[in-house]
Amino acid sequence: MTDSPIRVGVLGARGRMGATVVQAVEGAADLKLVAALDAGDDFAPLADAQVVVDFTHPDAVMDNLRHLIAHGLHAVVGTTGFSEERLAEVRSLLAEKPGLGVLIAPNFALGAVLAMRFAGQAARFYASAEIIELHHNRKADAPSGTASHTARMIGEARAAAGLEPGPDATTSEVDGARGARVADVPVHSVRLPGLVAHEEILFGGEGETLTIRHDSLDRTSFMPGVLLGVRSVVSRPGLTVGLENVLDL
Ligand SMILES: NC(=O)C1=CN([C@@H]2O[C@H](COP(=O)(O)OP(=O)(O)OC[C@H]3O[C@@H](n4cnc5c(N)ncnc54)[C@H](O)[C@@H]3O)[C@@H](O)[C@H]2O)C=CC1
Ligand SMILES: O=C(O)C1=N[C@H](C(=O)O)C[C@H](O)C1
């Protein structure tokens, strides 16, 4: 006997990512697209879904998640802009809904997830770490969710290893020249037409540097991870942050 397909709704369906997710869901035999909605649409069709994928906007995603959790819908969220406070609210909403799962991942591309993991592993061996993230110029947020997540992973590894702040002789600086600080890691954001999503994680130590680079050249790069998220969230109750946890990395 064949299992019935997982019924999927998409929020942000007319956007760059949402439209790509709609195509990917339509192309997957074990998934069925039941709603493809965007800003201003009536959310009523979501009632037919089991899992809803959200690629909208940092200003919209929390209201969407409140709606989805209140209506008992599993969620796979790629939208960025999640602070610790936002994650805490999602956890507390889910505490009232046993069995319901939410997966929030700043990046669904396999190579980006691996790059973050490798960066976390390398961090304790180097005195200094900096991140350069490069994106298309339509992106709303800076730094990227991926760069912030990477910086936090590096920061945790550095703190666990008892590393001091990286040596830096800068005494005079034009505002922003040394980047933004996330978990005390300098993060530099580049926005250019022509780019999709790219990240370089640079480590510096005694007489050497290590650069880990990932490039998403097309939005299809995110789709295997999104579909994996949809298939796994139905049996992952509670909040999961980061695809690395689904991949058991
Ligand atoms: N986690 C990941 O792997 C990735 C995450 N992203 C993130 O996904 C988000 C969307 O990115 P793009 O698709 O490039 O943006 P986009 O601007 O092309 O699309 C966003 C869509 O959401 C719609 N929208 C806004 N508010 C809404 C609401 N309340 N309900 C339903 N739809 C709403 C907009 O009208 C628009 O069509 C961003 O936060 C971006 O950083 C993007 C690529 C990969
Ligand atoms: O807006 C984008 O395009 C992307 N957003 C995510 C982020 O902020 O990290 C993921 C990826 O970098 C593409």
Side-chain angles (χ1 to χ4, degrees):
M1 199 179 87
T2 356
D3 289 338
S4 19
I6 301 173
R7 300 184 306 281
V8 182
V10 178
L11 289 176
R14 293 195 284 277
R16 286 175 290 271
M17 281 299 292
T20 316
V21 173
V22 164
Q23 282 185 347
V25 170
E26 285 178 331
D30 61 331
L31 308 180
K32 181 171 193 263
L33 185 74
V34 296
L37 307 177
D38 205 279
D41 291 345
D42 182 356
F43 276 15
L46 292 182
D48 290 335
Q50 290 166 278
V51 179
V52 176
V53 180
D54 185 299
F55 280 95
T56 58
H57 190 281
D59 293 344
V61 66
M62 283 307 290
D63 278 346
N64 290 349
L65 265 176
R66 288 181 196 112
H67 176 95
L68 300 179
I69 295 171
H71 289 80
L73 297 164
H74 302 285
V76 172
V77 180
T79 308
T80 46
F82 279 88
S83 57
E84 280 310 318
E85 292 71 27
R86 285 182 168 204
L87 295 175
E89 181 182 342
V90 176
R91 273 190 202 96
S92 99
L93 292 171
L94 283 172
E96 307 293 312
K97 299 275 181 181
L100 196 63
V102 171
L103 167 65
I104 299 174
N107 201 310
F108 281 97
L110 175 63
V113 179
L114 288 172
M116 286 188 265
R117 175 59 83 209
F118 298 156
Q121 288 174 333
R124 70 190 166 99
F125 299 107
Y126 289 91
S128 299
E130 305 211 7
I131 297 172
I132 306 172
E133 57 93 342
L134 308 93
H135 281 82
H136 59 94
N137 60 325
R138 302 270 187 83
K139 183 163 177 57
D141 53 325
S144 70
T146 309
S148 298
H149 196 65
T150 312
R152 282 188 215 105
M153 289 169 92
I154 293 172
E156 277 167 26
R158 289 177 61 88
L163 293 184
E164 300 289 324
D168 181 353
T170 308
T171 51
S172 149
E173 180 188 354
V174 173
D175 266 357
R178 295 289 294 114
R181 295 269 162 167
V182 180
D184 217 23
V185 176
V187 182
H188 311 269
S189 296
V190 176
R191 297 290 175 265
L192 290 174
L195 294 175
V196 179
H198 318 259
E199 182 181 45
E200 275 190 8
I201 308 140
L202 300 96
F203 294 100
E206 200 61 50
E208 65 162 314
T209 65
L210 168 68
T211 302
I212 300 171
R213 179 171 174 121
H214 176 257
D215 297 276
S216 270
L217 306 172
D218 189 282
R219 290 185 177 82
T220 52
S221 62
F222 304 110
M223 294 306 116
V226 172
L227 298 191
L228 174 66
V230 168
R231 292 174 183 125
S232 52
V233 75
V234 289
S235 50
R236 283 186 82 91
L239 175 63
T240 303
V241 180
L243 194 66
E244 59 273 20
N245 297 300
V246 179
L247 293 168
D248 283 334
L249 284 179

Coordinates of all heavy atoms in Angstrom, one line a residue, residues 1-81:
M1 N 0.8 -1.2 0.0 CA 0.0 0.0 0.0 C 0.9 1.3 0.0 O 1.8 1.3 0.8 CB -0.9 0.0 1.2 CG -2.1 0.9 1.1 SD -3.1 0.8 2.6 CE -2.3 2.0 3.6
T2 N 0.6 2.2 -0.9 CA 1.4 3.5 -0.9 C 0.8 4.5 0.1 O -0.4 4.6 0.3 CB 1.3 4.2 -2.3 OG1 0.5 3.4 -3.1 CG2 2.6 4.5 -2.9
D3 N 1.8 5.2 0.8 CA 1.4 6.2 1.8 C 0.7 7.4 1.0 O 1.1 7.7 -0.1 CB 2.6 6.8 2.5 CG 3.1 5.7 3.5 OD1 2.4 4.8 3.9 OD2 4.3 5.8 3.9
S4 N -0.2 8.1 1.6 CA -0.8 9.2 1.0 C 0.2 10.4 1.0 O 1.0 10.5 2.0 CB -2.1 9.7 1.6 OG -2.3 9.2 2.8
P5 N 0.2 11.2 0.0 CA 1.2 12.3 -0.1 C 1.0 13.3 1.1 O -0.1 13.4 1.6 CB 0.9 13.0 -1.4 CG -0.4 12.4 -1.9 CD -0.7 11.2 -1.2
I6 N 2.1 13.9 1.5 CA 2.0 15.0 2.5 C 1.5 16.2 1.8 O 1.9 16.7 0.8 CB 3.4 15.3 3.1 CG1 4.1 14.0 3.7 CG2 3.4 16.4 4.1 CD1 5.5 14.2 4.1
R7 N 0.4 16.8 2.5 CA -0.2 18.0 1.9 C 0.5 19.2 2.3 O 0.7 19.5 3.5 CB -1.7 18.0 2.4 CG -2.5 16.8 1.9 CD -4.0 16.9 2.3 NE -4.2 17.2 3.7 CZ -4.1 16.2 4.7 NH1 -3.8 15.0 4.4 NH2 -4.3 16.6 5.9
V8 N 1.0 20.0 1.4 CA 1.9 21.1 1.6 C 1.3 22.5 1.2 O 0.7 22.6 0.1 CB 3.2 20.9 0.9 CG1 4.2 22.0 1.2 CG2 3.8 19.6 1.2
G9 N 1.4 23.5 2.0 CA 1.1 24.8 1.7 C 2.3 25.7 1.6 O 3.3 25.4 2.3
V10 N 2.3 26.7 0.8 CA 3.5 27.6 0.7 C 3.1 29.0 0.9 O 2.1 29.5 0.3 CB 4.2 27.4 -0.7 CG1 5.3 28.4 -0.9 CG2 4.6 26.0 -1.0
L11 N 3.8 29.7 1.8 CA 3.6 31.1 2.0 C 4.7 31.9 1.4 O 5.9 31.5 1.6 CB 3.5 31.4 3.5 CG 2.2 30.9 4.2 CD1 2.3 31.2 5.8 CD2 1.0 31.6 3.6
G12 N 4.4 33.0 0.7 CA 5.5 33.7 0.0 C 5.6 33.1 -1.4 O 6.6 33.2 -2.1
A13 N 4.5 32.5 -1.9 CA 4.5 31.7 -3.1 C 4.8 32.5 -4.4 O 5.2 31.9 -5.4 CB 3.2 31.0 -3.3
R14 N 4.7 33.8 -4.4 CA 5.0 34.6 -5.6 C 6.4 35.2 -5.5 O 6.8 35.9 -6.4 CB 3.9 35.7 -5.8 CG 2.5 35.1 -6.1 CD 1.6 36.1 -6.7 NE 1.0 37.0 -5.7 CZ 0.0 36.7 -4.9 NH1 -0.6 35.5 -5.0 NH2 -0.5 37.6 -4.1
G15 N 7.1 34.9 -4.4 CA 8.5 35.4 -4.3 C 9.5 34.5 -4.9 O 9.2 33.5 -5.5
R16 N 10.8 34.9 -4.9 CA 11.8 34.2 -5.5 C 11.9 32.8 -5.0 O 12.0 31.8 -5.7 CB 13.2 34.9 -5.3 CG 13.4 36.2 -6.2 CD 14.7 36.9 -5.8 NE 14.6 37.5 -4.5 CZ 14.1 38.7 -4.3 NH1 13.8 39.5 -5.3 NH2 14.1 39.2 -3.0
M17 N 12.0 32.6 -3.7 CA 12.1 31.3 -3.1 C 10.8 30.5 -3.1 O 10.7 29.4 -3.5 CB 12.6 31.4 -1.6 CG 14.1 31.6 -1.5 SD 15.0 30.3 -2.2 CE 14.7 29.0 -1.0
G18 N 9.7 31.2 -2.7 CA 8.4 30.6 -2.7 C 8.0 30.0 -4.0 O 7.5 28.8 -4.1
A19 N 8.2 30.7 -5.1 CA 7.9 30.2 -6.5 C 8.7 28.9 -6.8 O 8.2 28.0 -7.4 CB 8.1 31.2 -7.5
T20 N 10.0 28.9 -6.3 CA 10.8 27.7 -6.6 C 10.4 26.6 -5.7 O 10.4 25.4 -6.2 CB 12.3 28.1 -6.2 OG1 12.6 29.4 -6.8 CG2 13.3 27.1 -6.8
V21 N 9.9 26.8 -4.5 CA 9.4 25.8 -3.6 C 8.1 25.2 -4.2 O 7.9 24.0 -4.3 CB 9.1 26.3 -2.2 CG1 8.4 25.2 -1.4 CG2 10.4 26.7 -1.5
V22 N 7.2 26.0 -4.8 CA 6.0 25.5 -5.4 C 6.3 24.5 -6.5 O 5.8 23.4 -6.6 CB 5.2 26.7 -6.0 CG1 4.1 26.3 -7.0 CG2 4.5 27.5 -4.8
Q23 N 7.3 24.9 -7.4 CA 7.7 24.0 -8.4 C 8.3 22.7 -7.9 O 8.0 21.6 -8.4 CB 8.8 24.6 -9.3 CG 8.3 25.7 -10.2 CD 9.4 26.2 -11.2 OE1 10.6 26.0 -10.9 NE2 9.1 26.9 -12.2
A24 N 9.1 22.8 -6.8 CA 9.7 21.6 -6.3 C 8.7 20.7 -5.6 O 8.8 19.4 -5.8 CB 10.8 22.0 -5.2
V25 N 7.7 21.2 -5.0 CA 6.7 20.4 -4.3 C 5.8 19.8 -5.4 O 5.5 18.6 -5.3 CB 5.8 21.3 -3.4 CG1 4.5 20.5 -2.9 CG2 6.6 21.8 -2.2
E26 N 5.5 20.5 -6.5 CA 4.7 20.0 -7.6 C 5.5 18.8 -8.3 O 4.8 17.9 -8.8 CB 4.4 21.1 -8.6 CG 3.2 21.9 -8.0 CD 2.9 23.1 -9.0 OE1 3.7 23.5 -9.7 OE2 1.7 23.5 -8.9
G27 N 6.8 18.9 -8.2 CA 7.6 17.8 -8.9 C 7.9 16.6 -8.0 O 8.6 15.7 -8.4
A28 N 7.4 16.6 -6.8 CA 7.7 15.5 -5.8 C 6.5 14.6 -5.7 O 5.4 15.1 -5.3 CB 8.1 16.1 -4.5
A29 N 6.7 13.3 -6.0 CA 5.6 12.4 -6.1 C 4.9 12.2 -4.7 O 3.7 11.9 -4.6 CB 6.0 11.1 -6.6
D30 N 5.7 12.3 -3.6 CA 5.2 12.0 -2.3 C 4.6 13.3 -1.6 O 4.3 13.3 -0.4 CB 6.3 11.4 -1.4 CG 7.5 12.4 -1.2 OD1 7.8 13.2 -2.2 OD2 8.2 12.3 -0.2
L31 N 4.6 14.4 -2.3 CA 4.0 15.7 -1.8 C 2.9 16.2 -2.7 O 2.9 16.0 -3.9 CB 5.1 16.8 -1.7 CG 6.4 16.4 -1.0 CD1 7.4 17.6 -1.0 CD2 6.2 15.9 0.5
K32 N 1.9 16.9 -2.0 CA 0.8 17.4 -2.8 C 0.7 18.9 -2.4 O 0.5 19.2 -1.2 CB -0.4 16.6 -2.4 CG -1.7 17.1 -3.2 CD -2.8 16.1 -3.0 CE -3.9 16.4 -3.9 NZ -5.0 17.1 -3.5
L33 N 0.7 19.8 -3.4 CA 0.6 21.2 -3.1 C -0.9 21.5 -3.0 O -1.7 21.3 -3.9 CB 1.1 22.0 -4.3 CG 1.1 23.5 -4.1 CD1 2.2 24.0 -3.1 CD2 1.3 24.3 -5.4
V34 N -1.3 22.0 -1.8 CA -2.7 22.3 -1.6 C -3.0 23.8 -1.4 O -4.1 24.3 -1.5 CB -3.3 21.6 -0.3 CG1 -3.2 20.1 -0.5 CG2 -2.5 22.0 1.0
A35 N -1.9 24.6 -1.2 CA -2.1 26.1 -1.1 C -0.8 26.8 -1.5 O 0.2 26.4 -1.0 CB -2.5 26.5 0.3
A36 N -0.9 27.8 -2.3 CA 0.2 28.6 -2.7 C -0.2 30.1 -2.5 O -0.9 30.7 -3.4 CB 0.6 28.4 -4.1
L37 N 0.2 30.7 -1.4 CA -0.4 32.0 -1.0 C 0.7 33.0 -0.8 O 1.9 32.7 -0.5 CB -1.1 31.8 0.4 CG -2.2 30.7 0.4 CD1 -2.8 30.6 1.8 CD2 -3.3 31.0 -0.6
D38 N 0.3 34.3 -1.0 CA 1.3 35.4 -0.8 C 0.6 36.5 0.0 O -0.6 36.3 0.5 CB 1.7 35.8 -2.2 CG 3.1 36.5 -2.1 OD1 3.2 37.7 -1.7 OD2 4.1 35.8 -2.4
A39 N 1.3 37.6 0.2 CA 0.8 38.7 1.0 C -0.6 39.1 0.5 O -0.9 39.2 -0.7 CB 1.7 39.9 0.9
G40 N -1.5 39.3 1.5 CA -2.9 39.7 1.2 C -3.9 38.6 0.9 O -5.1 38.8 0.8
D41 N -3.4 37.4 0.6 CA -4.3 36.3 0.3 C -5.0 35.8 1.6 O -4.4 35.9 2.7 CB -3.5 35.1 -0.3 CG -3.0 35.4 -1.7 OD1 -3.5 36.4 -2.3 OD2 -2.1 34.7 -2.2
D42 N -6.2 35.2 1.4 CA -6.9 34.6 2.5 C -6.2 33.3 2.9 O -5.8 32.5 2.0 CB -8.3 34.3 2.0 CG -9.2 33.7 3.1 OD1 -8.7 33.4 4.2 OD2 -10.4 33.5 2.8
F43 N -5.9 33.1 4.2 CA -5.1 31.9 4.6 C -6.0 30.7 4.7 O -5.5 29.6 5.0 CB -4.4 32.2 5.9 CG -3.1 32.9 5.8 CD1 -2.7 33.5 4.7 CD2 -2.2 32.9 6.9 CE1 -1.5 34.1 4.6 CE2 -1.0 33.5 6.8 CZ -0.6 34.2 5.7
A44 N -7.3 30.8 4.4 CA -8.3 29.7 4.6 C -7.8 28.4 3.9 O -7.9 27.3 4.5 CB -9.7 30.0 4.1
P45 N -7.2 28.4 2.7 CA -6.8 27.2 2.0 C -5.7 26.4 2.8 O -5.5 25.2 2.6 CB -6.3 27.6 0.7 CG -6.9 29.0 0.4 CD -7.1 29.6 1.8
L46 N -5.1 27.1 3.8 CA -4.0 26.4 4.6 C -4.7 25.3 5.4 O -4.0 24.3 5.9 CB -3.3 27.3 5.5 CG -2.4 28.4 4.8 CD1 -1.7 29.2 5.8 CD2 -1.3 27.7 3.9
A47 N -6.0 25.4 5.7 CA -6.6 24.4 6.5 C -6.5 23.0 5.9 O -6.5 22.0 6.6 CB -8.1 24.7 6.6
D48 N -6.3 22.8 4.6 CA -6.1 21.5 4.0 C -4.7 21.0 4.1 O -4.4 19.8 3.7 CB -6.4 21.6 2.4 CG -7.9 21.8 2.2 OD1 -8.7 21.5 3.1 OD2 -8.2 22.4 1.1
A49 N -3.7 21.8 4.6 CA -2.3 21.4 4.6 C -2.0 20.7 5.9 O -2.6 20.8 6.9 CB -1.4 22.7 4.5
Q50 N -0.9 19.9 5.8 CA -0.3 19.3 7.0 C 1.0 20.1 7.3 O 1.3 20.3 8.5 CB 0.1 17.8 6.7 CG -1.0 16.9 6.6 CD -0.5 15.6 6.0 OE1 -0.4 15.4 4.7 NE2 -0.2 14.6 6.8
V51 N 1.7 20.5 6.3 CA 3.0 21.2 6.5 C 2.9 22.5 5.7 O 2.5 22.5 4.5 CB 4.2 20.4 6.0 CG1 5.5 21.2 6.2 CG2 4.3 19.1 6.7
V52 N 3.3 23.6 6.3 CA 3.4 24.9 5.5 C 4.8 25.4 5.5 O 5.5 25.4 6.5 CB 2.5 25.9 6.2 CG1 2.6 27.3 5.4 CG2 1.0 25.4 6.1
V53 N 5.3 25.7 4.3 CA 6.6 26.3 4.1 C 6.5 27.8 4.0 O 5.7 28.3 3.3 CB 7.2 25.7 2.8 CG1 8.6 26.2 2.5 CG2 7.2 24.2 2.8
D54 N 7.4 28.5 4.8 CA 7.3 29.9 4.8 C 8.6 30.5 4.3 O 9.7 30.3 4.9 CB 7.1 30.4 6.3 CG 6.9 31.9 6.3 OD1 7.8 32.7 6.0 OD2 5.8 32.4 6.8
F55 N 8.6 31.2 3.2 CA 9.7 32.0 2.7 C 9.1 33.4 2.4 O 8.6 33.7 1.3 CB 10.3 31.5 1.4 CG 11.3 30.3 1.6 CD1 10.8 29.0 1.6 CD2 12.6 30.6 2.0 CE1 11.7 28.0 1.8 CE2 13.5 29.6 2.2 CZ 13.1 28.2 2.1
T56 N 8.9 34.2 3.4 CA 8.2 35.5 3.3 C 9.2 36.7 3.6 O 10.1 37.0 2.8 CB 7.0 35.5 4.1 OG1 7.3 35.3 5.5 CG2 5.9 34.5 3.6
H57 N 9.1 37.2 4.7 CA 9.8 38.4 5.1 C 10.0 38.4 6.6 O 9.1 38.0 7.3 CB 9.1 39.7 4.7 CG 9.9 40.9 4.8 ND1 10.1 41.6 6.0 CD2 10.6 41.6 3.8 CE1 10.9 42.7 5.7 NE2 11.2 42.7 4.4
P58 N 11.2 38.9 7.1 CA 11.4 38.9 8.6 C 10.3 39.6 9.3 O 10.0 39.2 10.5 CB 12.8 39.6 8.7 CG 13.5 39.3 7.4 CD 12.4 39.3 6.3
D59 N 9.7 40.6 8.7 CA 8.6 41.3 9.4 C 7.3 40.6 9.4 O 6.4 40.9 10.2 CB 8.3 42.7 8.7 CG 9.5 43.6 8.8 OD1 10.4 43.4 9.7 OD2 9.5 44.6 8.1
A60 N 7.1 39.6 8.6 CA 5.9 38.8 8.5 C 5.9 37.5 9.1 O 4.8 36.9 9.5 CB 5.5 38.7 7.0
V61 N 7.1 36.9 9.3 CA 7.1 35.5 9.6 C 6.6 35.1 11.0 O 6.0 34.1 11.2 CB 8.6 35.0 9.4 CG1 9.6 35.6 10.4 CG2 8.7 33.5 9.5
M62 N 6.7 36.0 12.0 CA 6.2 35.7 13.3 C 4.7 35.6 13.3 O 4.1 34.7 13.9 CB 6.8 36.6 14.4 CG 8.2 36.4 14.7 SD 8.6 34.7 15.3 CE 7.8 34.6 16.8
D63 N 4.0 36.5 12.7 CA 2.6 36.4 12.6 C 2.1 35.2 11.9 O 1.2 34.5 12.3 CB 2.0 37.6 11.9 CG 1.9 38.9 12.8 OD1 2.0 38.7 14.0 OD2 1.7 40.0 12.3
N64 N 2.9 34.8 10.8 CA 2.5 33.6 10.1 C 2.7 32.4 11.0 O 1.8 31.5 11.0 CB 3.4 33.4 8.8 CG 3.1 34.5 7.8 OD1 2.1 35.2 7.8 ND2 4.0 34.6 6.8
L65 N 3.8 32.3 11.7 CA 4.0 31.2 12.6 C 3.0 31.1 13.7 O 2.5 30.0 14.1 CB 5.4 31.3 13.2 CG 6.5 30.5 12.5 CD1 7.9 30.8 13.1 CD2 6.2 29.0 12.5
R66 N 2.6 32.2 14.3 CA 1.5 32.2 15.3 C 0.3 31.6 14.7 O -0.4 30.8 15.4 CB 1.3 33.6 15.8 CG 2.4 34.2 16.7 CD 2.1 35.6 17.2 NE 3.3 36.2 17.6 CZ 3.9 37.3 17.1 NH1 3.4 37.9 16.0 NH2 5.1 37.7 17.6
H67 N -0.1 32.0 13.5 CA -1.3 31.4 12.8 C -1.1 29.9 12.6 O -2.0 29.1 12.9 CB -1.5 32.1 11.5 CG -2.6 31.6 10.7 ND1 -3.9 32.1 10.8 CD2 -2.7 30.5 9.9 CE1 -4.7 31.4 10.0 NE2 -4.0 30.4 9.4
L68 N 0.0 29.5 12.1 CA 0.2 28.1 11.8 C 0.2 27.2 13.0 O -0.5 26.2 13.0 CB 1.6 27.9 11.0 CG 1.7 28.6 9.7 CD1 3.1 28.4 9.1 CD2 0.6 28.3 8.7
I69 N 0.9 27.7 14.1 CA 0.9 26.9 15.3 C -0.5 26.8 15.9 O -0.9 25.7 16.3 CB 2.0 27.4 16.3 CG1 3.4 27.3 15.7 CG2 1.9 26.7 17.6 CD1 4.5 28.0 16.4
A70 N -1.2 27.9 15.9 CA -2.5 28.0 16.5 C -3.4 27.0 15.8 O -4.4 26.4 16.4 CB -3.1 29.4 16.5
H71 N -3.2 26.8 14.5 CA -4.1 25.9 13.7 C -3.5 24.5 13.5 O -4.0 23.7 12.7 CB -4.3 26.5 12.3 CG -5.2 27.7 12.4 ND1 -4.8 29.0 12.7 CD2 -6.6 27.9 12.2 CE1 -5.8 29.8 12.7 NE2 -6.9 29.2 12.4
G72 N -2.5 24.2 14.3 CA -2.0 22.8 14.3 C -1.3 22.4 13.1 O -1.3 21.2 12.7
L73 N -0.6 23.4 12.4 CA 0.1 23.0 11.1 C 1.6 23.0 11.3 O 2.2 23.9 11.9 CB -0.3 24.1 10.1 CG -1.7 24.2 9.7 CD1 -2.0 25.5 9.0 CD2 -2.1 23.0 8.8
H74 N 2.2 21.9 10.9 CA 3.7 21.8 11.0 C 4.3 22.9 10.1 O 3.6 23.2 9.0 CB 4.2 20.5 10.5 CG 3.7 19.3 11.3 ND1 4.1 19.0 12.5 CD2 2.7 18.4 10.9 CE1 3.5 17.9 12.9 NE2 2.6 17.5 12.0
A75 N 5.4 23.4 10.4 CA 6.0 24.5 9.6 C 7.5 24.3 9.3 O 8.2 23.8 10.2 CB 5.8 25.9 10.3
V76 N 7.8 24.6 8.1 CA 9.2 24.6 7.6 C 9.5 26.0 7.2 O 8.9 26.6 6.3 CB 9.4 23.6 6.4 CG1 10.8 23.8 5.8 CG2 9.2 22.2 6.9
V77 N 10.5 26.7 7.9 CA 10.6 28.1 7.8 C 12.1 28.4 7.3 O 13.0 28.1 7.9 CB 10.4 28.8 9.1 CG1 10.6 30.3 9.0 CG2 9.0 28.5 9.6
G78 N 12.1 29.1 6.1 CA 13.4 29.5 5.6 C 13.6 31.0 5.8 O 14.7 31.5 5.6
T79 N 12.5 31.7 6.1 CA 12.6 33.2 6.3 C 13.6 33.5 7.4 O 13.6 32.8 8.4 CB 11.2 33.7 6.6 OG1 10.3 33.3 5.6 CG2 11.2 35.2 6.7
T80 N 14.4 34.5 7.2 CA 15.4 34.9 8.2 C 14.9 35.9 9.2 O 13.7 36.2 9.2 CB 16.6 35.5 7.4 OG1 16.1 36.5 6.5 CG2 17.4 34.4 6.7
G81 N 15.7 36.3 10.1 CA 15.4 37.3 11.1 C 15.0 36.8 12.4 O 14.3 37.4 13.2

